[in-house]
Amino acid sequence: MVASCISLSGSTLAAQSKTATPREQIGEVLGQPVYRDQLNAESTDKLIHSLQYYFAAVLAEAYLEQHRKRFEPTQLEFEEFAGNEFPESQQFKVSQMPVLETRLREIRKQLKSNHLSAEQRQKLDLDRQKVEETLDSGIGPFLYNMLLCWKMEMDIYRRYGGGRIRVLKLGMEPLEATHRWLKAEEQAGRFKITDPKLKTLLYRYWTVNFQYGFLMQDPQEIRRDFLDPEWQRKARALAPVEAQKP
């Protein structure tokens, strides 16, 4: 799901209330509480997207990290994906992304320590900012993350029974397959929503009742544009024989 590829900061789920009023917990995800005051309830659509952010996106991020090694794009895949539309990405190397992301995780872990001096904490925080700026700047990292998301979406689609595809401006997301995946995550106890109305709204996004984007239903079209797009076919044709072996 495209929405689930949103980058979450470490403070998202731990956001503090602006008042002294006791917070109402409406669920939890991966052991972390989610409170009603974190949700945007200005409209039903905003509330649905907010639920996707605090539940589906967190689960997707964990899924992505669990399977990251399988999803890492090759340099050839990246180049064919970027094509001639993004000449400024030609110098980008996919190999730098895992290194930077590993370094960022290490820095964030170190910053949680209570045994740092003020000077050590300041230096680590500056290092964190530099790595984050590198990861967030330029078209290269953006395209790289789009590729990661596509591979994750395709994996969920194949593992959870296929179905229709919702087409959005920034990509495509499996509809029924993601619905089944979320149900499986809920049954496994990886998240829960105690408010029945909010739970219904979370799942409503993954049905045709939520009018967002447009649906791709033809199996041949899904295979051509989602499961095996032209850029991937080109990358596969150009890859060395050994690299094509499973």
Side-chain angles (χ1 to χ4, degrees):
M1 70 213 80
V2 175
S4 298
C5 287
I6 297 172
S7 177
L8 299 176
S9 66
S11 61
T12 298
L13 295 179
Q16 297 298 310
S17 175
K18 296 179 181 179
T19 70
T21 306
R23 307 179 75 185
E24 181 188 356
Q25 184 174 340
I26 52 86
E28 65 177 50
V29 56
L30 302 180
Q32 297 296 315
V34 180
Y35 299 98
R36 191 177 295 277
D37 60 27
Q38 291 176 273
L39 306 176
N40 185 339
E42 293 178 2
S43 68
T44 299
D45 280 3
K46 288 183 178 180
L47 183 55
I48 289 174
H49 282 293
S50 194
L51 288 165
Q52 297 306 311
Y53 181 78
Y54 284 104
F55 289 95
V58 177
L59 294 165
E61 185 178 52
Y63 188 94
L64 182 60
E65 288 306 312
Q66 180 184 357
H67 302 284
R68 178 174 283 271
K69 287 186 178 180
R70 291 196 295 115
F71 298 159
E72 293 287 358
T74 66
Q75 186 66 33
L76 190 54
E77 286 177 327
F78 177 85
E79 291 170 1
E80 289 302 321
F81 181 69
N84 297 320
E85 295 183 37
F86 304 98
E88 62 272 36
S89 70
Q90 291 178 359
Q91 302 303 316
F92 179 80
K93 301 298 180 186
V94 299
S95 57
Q96 67 183 296
M97 291 296 287
V99 175
L100 290 169
E101 288 165 348
T102 298
R103 176 57 182 153
L104 183 58
R105 286 193 292 270
E106 290 173 350
I107 293 172
R108 286 174 173 171
K109 184 178 180 180
Q110 291 173 26
L111 282 169
K112 291 179 181 179
S113 172
N114 296 321
H115 304 291
L116 295 173
S117 66
E119 184 179 353
Q120 289 173 323
R121 187 171 297 279
Q122 183 180 29
K123 184 180 183 305
L124 281 171
D125 202 47
L126 286 173
D127 289 345
R128 175 189 60 78
Q129 291 177 35
K130 289 178 182 177
V131 176
E132 287 179 343
E133 287 173 4
T134 302
L135 287 170
D136 293 339
S137 63
I139 192 66
F142 176 76
L143 295 175
Y144 174 90
N145 286 322
M146 283 191 69
L147 263 178
L148 272 181
C149 289
W150 168 73
K151 290 196 173 190
M152 182 186 71
E153 305 282 10
M154 186 173 63
D155 193 67
I156 288 175
Y157 184 86
R158 286 173 166 161
R159 292 181 66 183
Y160 291 89
R164 290 169 290 190
I165 299 293
R166 177 183 281 138
V167 182
L168 307 173
K169 288 183 179 179
L170 288 179
M172 307 179 191
E173 52 190 20
L175 200 63
E176 289 88 358
T178 304
H179 192 285
R180 296 185 198 106
W181 168 65
L182 285 173
K183 284 288 187 182
E185 292 286 280
E186 183 184 18
Q187 290 169 7
R190 290 169 62 79
F191 84 95
K192 67 178 179 181
I193 300 178
T194 53
D195 184 318
K197 291 183 179 179
L198 293 178
K199 180 178 174 180
T200 298
L201 288 178
L202 174 78
Y203 283 111
R204 180 181 167 188
Y205 180 89
W206 301 105
T207 69
V208 292
N209 294 324
F210 189 66
Q211 300 298 321
Y212 191 54
F214 69 90
L215 289 181
M216 184 186 295
Q217 306 186 63
D218 181 76
Q220 292 184 346
E221 189 178 7
I222 290 172
R223 169 158 292 282
R224 182 195 67 207
D225 295 338
F226 176 67
L227 294 175
D228 195 23
E230 183 180 7
W231 65 262
Q232 187 189 37
R233 297 194 296 271
K234 289 182 178 179
R236 191 166 56 243
L238 292 169
V241 175
E242 287 299 314
Q244 297 182 33
K245 293 183 179 179

PDB file of all heavy atoms in Angstrom, residues 147-171:
ATOM      1  N   LEU A 147      10.519   1.937  -5.305  1.00  0.00           N
ATOM      2  CA  LEU A 147      10.793   0.558  -5.719  1.00  0.00           C
ATOM      3  C   LEU A 147      10.609  -0.416  -4.567  1.00  0.00           C
ATOM      4  O   LEU A 147      10.039  -1.500  -4.732  1.00  0.00           O
ATOM      5  CB  LEU A 147      12.225   0.456  -6.257  1.00  0.00           C
ATOM      6  CG  LEU A 147      12.405   0.533  -7.769  1.00  0.00           C
ATOM      7  CD1 LEU A 147      13.891   0.473  -8.112  1.00  0.00           C
ATOM      8  CD2 LEU A 147      11.674  -0.605  -8.454  1.00  0.00           C
ATOM      9  N   LEU A 148      11.111  -0.048  -3.399  1.00  0.00           N
ATOM     10  CA  LEU A 148      10.920  -0.888  -2.213  1.00  0.00           C
ATOM     11  C   LEU A 148       9.431  -1.104  -1.948  1.00  0.00           C
ATOM     12  O   LEU A 148       8.994  -2.222  -1.660  1.00  0.00           O
ATOM     13  CB  LEU A 148      11.562  -0.228  -0.990  1.00  0.00           C
ATOM     14  CG  LEU A 148      13.028  -0.505  -0.682  1.00  0.00           C
ATOM     15  CD1 LEU A 148      13.434   0.242   0.578  1.00  0.00           C
ATOM     16  CD2 LEU A 148      13.295  -1.998  -0.506  1.00  0.00           C
ATOM     17  N   CYS A 149       8.674  -0.025  -2.028  1.00  0.00           N
ATOM     18  CA  CYS A 149       7.231  -0.109  -1.778  1.00  0.00           C
ATOM     19  C   CYS A 149       6.547  -1.008  -2.791  1.00  0.00           C
ATOM     20  O   CYS A 149       5.685  -1.820  -2.431  1.00  0.00           O
ATOM     21  CB  CYS A 149       6.608   1.287  -1.819  1.00  0.00           C
ATOM     22  SG  CYS A 149       7.043   2.315  -0.417  1.00  0.00           S
ATOM     23  N   TRP A 150       6.923  -0.862  -4.052  1.00  0.00           N
ATOM     24  CA  TRP A 150       6.313  -1.707  -5.088  1.00  0.00           C
ATOM     25  C   TRP A 150       6.591  -3.180  -4.810  1.00  0.00           C
ATOM     26  O   TRP A 150       5.697  -4.031  -4.934  1.00  0.00           O
ATOM     27  CB  TRP A 150       6.852  -1.316  -6.464  1.00  0.00           C
ATOM     28  CG  TRP A 150       6.492  -2.320  -7.524  1.00  0.00           C
ATOM     29  CD1 TRP A 150       5.255  -2.508  -8.083  1.00  0.00           C
ATOM     30  CD2 TRP A 150       7.346  -3.296  -8.105  1.00  0.00           C
ATOM     31  NE1 TRP A 150       5.300  -3.541  -8.992  1.00  0.00           N
ATOM     32  CE2 TRP A 150       6.574  -4.050  -9.025  1.00  0.00           C
ATOM     33  CE3 TRP A 150       8.699  -3.606  -7.950  1.00  0.00           C
ATOM     34  CZ2 TRP A 150       7.114  -5.099  -9.763  1.00  0.00           C
ATOM     35  CZ3 TRP A 150       9.233  -4.640  -8.692  1.00  0.00           C
ATOM     36  CH2 TRP A 150       8.445  -5.377  -9.588  1.00  0.00           C
ATOM     37  N   LYS A 151       7.815  -3.503  -4.419  1.00  0.00           N
ATOM     38  CA  LYS A 151       8.145  -4.895  -4.150  1.00  0.00           C
ATOM     39  C   LYS A 151       7.363  -5.426  -2.951  1.00  0.00           C
ATOM     40  O   LYS A 151       6.950  -6.587  -2.938  1.00  0.00           O
ATOM     41  CB  LYS A 151       9.654  -5.049  -3.921  1.00  0.00           C
ATOM     42  CG  LYS A 151      10.470  -4.855  -5.197  1.00  0.00           C
ATOM     43  CD  LYS A 151      11.881  -5.384  -5.045  1.00  0.00           C
ATOM     44  CE  LYS A 151      12.632  -5.337  -6.371  1.00  0.00           C
ATOM     45  NZ  LYS A 151      13.914  -6.062  -6.313  1.00  0.00           N
ATOM     46  N   MET A 152       7.169  -4.583  -1.954  1.00  0.00           N
ATOM     47  CA  MET A 152       6.378  -4.990  -0.805  1.00  0.00           C
ATOM     48  C   MET A 152       4.917  -5.212  -1.197  1.00  0.00           C
ATOM     49  O   MET A 152       4.293  -6.203  -0.808  1.00  0.00           O
ATOM     50  CB  MET A 152       6.457  -3.935   0.299  1.00  0.00           C
ATOM     51  CG  MET A 152       5.681  -4.329   1.556  1.00  0.00           C
ATOM     52  SD  MET A 152       5.623  -3.004   2.783  1.00  0.00           S
ATOM     53  CE  MET A 152       4.499  -1.856   1.963  1.00  0.00           C
ATOM     54  N   GLU A 153       4.362  -4.279  -1.968  1.00  0.00           N
ATOM     55  CA  GLU A 153       2.974  -4.412  -2.415  1.00  0.00           C
ATOM     56  C   GLU A 153       2.781  -5.689  -3.229  1.00  0.00           C
ATOM     57  O   GLU A 153       1.794  -6.406  -3.068  1.00  0.00           O
ATOM     58  CB  GLU A 153       2.586  -3.201  -3.277  1.00  0.00           C
ATOM     59  CG  GLU A 153       2.791  -1.847  -2.644  1.00  0.00           C
ATOM     60  CD  GLU A 153       1.721  -1.478  -1.647  1.00  0.00           C
ATOM     61  OE1 GLU A 153       0.915  -2.347  -1.303  1.00  0.00           O
ATOM     62  OE2 GLU A 153       1.701  -0.313  -1.212  1.00  0.00           O
ATOM     63  N   MET A 154       3.722  -5.956  -4.118  1.00  0.00           N
ATOM     64  CA  MET A 154       3.629  -7.144  -4.959  1.00  0.00           C
ATOM     65  C   MET A 154       3.709  -8.412  -4.110  1.00  0.00           C
ATOM     66  O   MET A 154       3.029  -9.405  -4.373  1.00  0.00           O
ATOM     67  CB  MET A 154       4.742  -7.129  -6.009  1.00  0.00           C
ATOM     68  CG  MET A 154       4.644  -8.252  -7.033  1.00  0.00           C
ATOM     69  SD  MET A 154       5.849  -8.074  -8.366  1.00  0.00           S
ATOM     70  CE  MET A 154       7.397  -8.202  -7.456  1.00  0.00           C
ATOM     71  N   ASP A 155       4.555  -8.400  -3.080  1.00  0.00           N
ATOM     72  CA  ASP A 155       4.695  -9.557  -2.194  1.00  0.00           C
ATOM     73  C   ASP A 155       3.397  -9.822  -1.444  1.00  0.00           C
ATOM     74  O   ASP A 155       2.940 -10.974  -1.360  1.00  0.00           O
ATOM     75  CB  ASP A 155       5.831  -9.294  -1.196  1.00  0.00           C
ATOM     76  CG  ASP A 155       6.245 -10.548  -0.457  1.00  0.00           C
ATOM     77  OD1 ASP A 155       6.790 -11.468  -1.106  1.00  0.00           O
ATOM     78  OD2 ASP A 155       6.031 -10.626   0.769  1.00  0.00           O
ATOM     79  N   ILE A 156       2.784  -8.772  -0.916  1.00  0.00           N
ATOM     80  CA  ILE A 156       1.504  -8.923  -0.215  1.00  0.00           C
ATOM     81  C   ILE A 156       0.430  -9.422  -1.186  1.00  0.00           C
ATOM     82  O   ILE A 156      -0.387 -10.289  -0.843  1.00  0.00           O
ATOM     83  CB  ILE A 156       1.087  -7.579   0.426  1.00  0.00           C
ATOM     84  CG1 ILE A 156       1.999  -7.282   1.628  1.00  0.00           C
ATOM     85  CG2 ILE A 156      -0.382  -7.604   0.857  1.00  0.00           C
ATOM     86  CD1 ILE A 156       1.757  -5.924   2.271  1.00  0.00           C
ATOM     87  N   TYR A 157       0.441  -8.891  -2.389  1.00  0.00           N
ATOM     88  CA  TYR A 157      -0.544  -9.301  -3.398  1.00  0.00           C
ATOM     89  C   TYR A 157      -0.463 -10.804  -3.657  1.00  0.00           C
ATOM     90  O   TYR A 157      -1.487 -11.510  -3.704  1.00  0.00           O
ATOM     91  CB  TYR A 157      -0.295  -8.525  -4.692  1.00  0.00           C
ATOM     92  CG  TYR A 157      -1.307  -8.786  -5.779  1.00  0.00           C
ATOM     93  CD1 TYR A 157      -2.497  -8.071  -5.827  1.00  0.00           C
ATOM     94  CD2 TYR A 157      -1.076  -9.745  -6.770  1.00  0.00           C
ATOM     95  CE1 TYR A 157      -3.436  -8.298  -6.828  1.00  0.00           C
ATOM     96  CE2 TYR A 157      -1.999  -9.982  -7.774  1.00  0.00           C
ATOM     97  CZ  TYR A 157      -3.184  -9.255  -7.798  1.00  0.00           C
ATOM     98  OH  TYR A 157      -4.107  -9.499  -8.791  1.00  0.00           O
ATOM     99  N   ARG A 158       0.752 -11.315  -3.829  1.00  0.00           N
ATOM    100  CA  ARG A 158       0.933 -12.735  -4.154  1.00  0.00           C
ATOM    101  C   ARG A 158       0.699 -13.643  -2.958  1.00  0.00           C
ATOM    102  O   ARG A 158       0.164 -14.734  -3.094  1.00  0.00           O
ATOM    103  CB  ARG A 158       2.336 -12.938  -4.718  1.00  0.00           C
ATOM    104  CG  ARG A 158       2.479 -12.415  -6.150  1.00  0.00           C
ATOM    105  CD  ARG A 158       3.890 -12.464  -6.654  1.00  0.00           C
ATOM    106  NE  ARG A 158       3.953 -12.272  -8.100  1.00  0.00           N
ATOM    107  CZ  ARG A 158       5.036 -11.917  -8.767  1.00  0.00           C
ATOM    108  NH1 ARG A 158       6.169 -11.684  -8.107  1.00  0.00           N
ATOM    109  NH2 ARG A 158       5.011 -11.766 -10.076  1.00  0.00           N
ATOM    110  N   ARG A 159       1.085 -13.192  -1.782  1.00  0.00           N
ATOM    111  CA  ARG A 159       0.964 -14.030  -0.586  1.00  0.00           C
ATOM    112  C   ARG A 159      -0.451 -14.057  -0.028  1.00  0.00           C
ATOM    113  O   ARG A 159      -0.822 -14.999   0.679  1.00  0.00           O
ATOM    114  CB  ARG A 159       1.925 -13.542   0.501  1.00  0.00           C
ATOM    115  CG  ARG A 159       3.396 -13.746   0.164  1.00  0.00           C
ATOM    116  CD  ARG A 159       4.299 -13.260   1.276  1.00  0.00           C
ATOM    117  NE  ARG A 159       4.142 -14.060   2.488  1.00  0.00           N
ATOM    118  CZ  ARG A 159       4.782 -13.795   3.625  1.00  0.00           C
ATOM    119  NH1 ARG A 159       5.590 -12.754   3.708  1.00  0.00           N
ATOM    120  NH2 ARG A 159       4.600 -14.563   4.681  1.00  0.00           N
ATOM    121  N   TYR A 160      -1.240 -13.031  -0.328  1.00  0.00           N
ATOM    122  CA  TYR A 160      -2.567 -12.932   0.279  1.00  0.00           C
ATOM    123  C   TYR A 160      -3.704 -12.928  -0.744  1.00  0.00           C
ATOM    124  O   TYR A 160      -4.717 -12.261  -0.579  1.00  0.00           O
ATOM    125  CB  TYR A 160      -2.638 -11.698   1.189  1.00  0.00           C
ATOM    126  CG  TYR A 160      -1.773 -11.858   2.418  1.00  0.00           C
ATOM    127  CD1 TYR A 160      -0.436 -11.475   2.409  1.00  0.00           C
ATOM    128  CD2 TYR A 160      -2.282 -12.464   3.575  1.00  0.00           C
ATOM    129  CE1 TYR A 160       0.375 -11.654   3.525  1.00  0.00           C
ATOM    130  CE2 TYR A 160      -1.478 -12.646   4.697  1.00  0.00           C
ATOM    131  CZ  TYR A 160      -0.154 -12.251   4.662  1.00  0.00           C
ATOM    132  OH  TYR A 160       0.650 -12.449   5.770  1.00  0.00           O
ATOM    133  N   GLY A 161      -3.534 -13.699  -1.798  1.00  0.00           N
ATOM    134  CA  GLY A 161      -4.657 -14.044  -2.652  1.00  0.00           C
ATOM    135  C   GLY A 161      -4.994 -13.135  -3.801  1.00  0.00           C
ATOM    136  O   GLY A 161      -6.036 -13.316  -4.451  1.00  0.00           O
ATOM    137  N   GLY A 162      -4.155 -12.159  -4.100  1.00  0.00           N
ATOM    138  CA  GLY A 162      -4.401 -11.326  -5.270  1.00  0.00           C
ATOM    139  C   GLY A 162      -5.666 -10.491  -5.163  1.00  0.00           C
ATOM    140  O   GLY A 162      -6.070 -10.064  -4.090  1.00  0.00           O
ATOM    141  N   GLY A 163      -6.303 -10.251  -6.298  1.00  0.00           N
ATOM    142  CA  GLY A 163      -7.507  -9.427  -6.330  1.00  0.00           C
ATOM    143  C   GLY A 163      -7.303  -8.168  -7.153  1.00  0.00           C
ATOM    144  O   GLY A 163      -6.448  -8.109  -8.038  1.00  0.00           O
ATOM    145  N   ARG A 164      -8.060  -7.147  -6.832  1.00  0.00           N
ATOM    146  CA  ARG A 164      -8.002  -5.896  -7.586  1.00  0.00           C
ATOM    147  C   ARG A 164      -6.883  -4.987  -7.064  1.00  0.00           C
ATOM    148  O   ARG A 164      -6.383  -5.171  -5.954  1.00  0.00           O
ATOM    149  CB  ARG A 164      -9.360  -5.187  -7.505  1.00  0.00           C
ATOM    150  CG  ARG A 164     -10.443  -5.910  -8.291  1.00  0.00           C
ATOM    151  CD  ARG A 164     -11.822  -5.371  -7.992  1.00  0.00           C
ATOM    152  NE  ARG A 164     -12.249  -5.726  -6.639  1.00  0.00           N
ATOM    153  CZ  ARG A 164     -13.490  -5.554  -6.175  1.00  0.00           C
ATOM    154  NH1 ARG A 164     -14.410  -5.037  -6.976  1.00  0.00           N
ATOM    155  NH2 ARG A 164     -13.807  -5.893  -4.949  1.00  0.00           N
ATOM    156  N   ILE A 165      -6.555  -3.990  -7.891  1.00  0.00           N
ATOM    157  CA  ILE A 165      -5.494  -3.035  -7.575  1.00  0.00           C
ATOM    158  C   ILE A 165      -6.082  -1.628  -7.582  1.00  0.00           C
ATOM    159  O   ILE A 165      -6.824  -1.268  -8.494  1.00  0.00           O
ATOM    160  CB  ILE A 165      -4.352  -3.107  -8.609  1.00  0.00           C
ATOM    161  CG1 ILE A 165      -3.716  -4.503  -8.624  1.00  0.00           C
ATOM    162  CG2 ILE A 165      -3.308  -2.032  -8.330  1.00  0.00           C
ATOM    163  CD1 ILE A 165      -2.968  -4.866  -7.365  1.00  0.00           C
ATOM    164  N   ARG A 166      -5.754  -0.855  -6.564  1.00  0.00           N
ATOM    165  CA  ARG A 166      -6.148   0.546  -6.555  1.00  0.00           C
ATOM    166  C   ARG A 166      -4.984   1.367  -7.119  1.00  0.00           C
ATOM    167  O   ARG A 166      -3.853   1.255  -6.652  1.00  0.00           O
ATOM    168  CB  ARG A 166      -6.485   1.014  -5.145  1.00  0.00           C
ATOM    169  CG  ARG A 166      -6.848   2.504  -5.073  1.00  0.00           C
ATOM    170  CD  ARG A 166      -7.097   2.935  -3.646  1.00  0.00           C
ATOM    171  NE  ARG A 166      -8.431   2.543  -3.201  1.00  0.00           N
ATOM    172  CZ  ARG A 166      -8.701   2.038  -2.001  1.00  0.00           C
ATOM    173  NH1 ARG A 166      -7.735   1.818  -1.144  1.00  0.00           N
ATOM    174  NH2 ARG A 166      -9.940   1.731  -1.662  1.00  0.00           N
ATOM    175  N   VAL A 167      -5.258   2.181  -8.111  1.00  0.00           N
ATOM    176  CA  VAL A 167      -4.227   2.984  -8.774  1.00  0.00           C
ATOM    177  C   VAL A 167      -4.285   4.416  -8.239  1.00  0.00           C
ATOM    178  O   VAL A 167      -5.326   5.074  -8.292  1.00  0.00           O
ATOM    179  CB  VAL A 167      -4.421   2.985 -10.300  1.00  0.00           C
ATOM    180  CG1 VAL A 167      -3.321   3.788 -10.975  1.00  0.00           C
ATOM    181  CG2 VAL A 167      -4.447   1.553 -10.831  1.00  0.00           C
ATOM    182  N   LEU A 168      -3.139   4.887  -7.730  1.00  0.00           N
ATOM    183  CA  LEU A 168      -3.034   6.224  -7.170  1.00  0.00           C
ATOM    184  C   LEU A 168      -1.978   7.029  -7.939  1.00  0.00           C
ATOM    185  O   LEU A 168      -1.274   6.475  -8.784  1.00  0.00           O
ATOM    186  CB  LEU A 168      -2.651   6.147  -5.689  1.00  0.00           C
ATOM    187  CG  LEU A 168      -3.549   5.258  -4.814  1.00  0.00           C
ATOM    188  CD1 LEU A 168      -2.956   5.131  -3.424  1.00  0.00           C
ATOM    189  CD2 LEU A 168      -4.953   5.833  -4.735  1.00  0.00           C
ATOM    190  N   LYS A 169      -1.839   8.282  -7.620  1.00  0.00           N
ATOM    191  CA  LYS A 169      -0.861   9.128  -8.314  1.00  0.00           C
ATOM    192  C   LYS A 169       0.564   8.622  -8.114  1.00  0.00           C
ATOM    193  O   LYS A 169       1.382   8.675  -9.025  1.00  0.00           O
ATOM    194  CB  LYS A 169      -0.985  10.572  -7.820  1.00  0.00           C
ATOM    195  CG  LYS A 169      -2.232  11.294  -8.304  1.00  0.00           C
ATOM    196  CD  LYS A 169      -2.235  12.736  -7.826  1.00  0.00           C
ATOM    197  CE  LYS A 169      -3.474  13.471  -8.330  1.00  0.00           C
ATOM    198  NZ  LYS A 169      -3.500  14.882  -7.857  1.00  0.00           N
ATOM    199  N   LEU A 170       0.882   8.161  -6.905  1.00  0.00           N
ATOM    200  CA  LEU A 170       2.252   7.765  -6.595  1.00  0.00           C
ATOM    201  C   LEU A 170       2.495   6.263  -6.700  1.00  0.00           C
ATOM    202  O   LEU A 170       3.574   5.786  -6.372  1.00  0.00           O
ATOM    203  CB  LEU A 170       2.622   8.232  -5.181  1.00  0.00           C
ATOM    204  CG  LEU A 170       2.833   9.729  -5.018  1.00  0.00           C
ATOM    205  CD1 LEU A 170       3.171  10.061  -3.567  1.00  0.00           C
ATOM    206  CD2 LEU A 170       3.935  10.247  -5.944  1.00  0.00           C
ATOM    207  N   GLY A 171       1.506   5.509  -7.149  1.00  0.00           N
ATOM    208  CA  GLY A 171       1.726   4.071  -7.266  1.00  0.00           C
ATOM    209  C   GLY A 171       0.433   3.290  -7.201  1.00  0.00           C
ATOM    210  O   GLY A 171      -0.655   3.825  -7.378  1.00  0.00           O
TER     211      GLY A 171
END
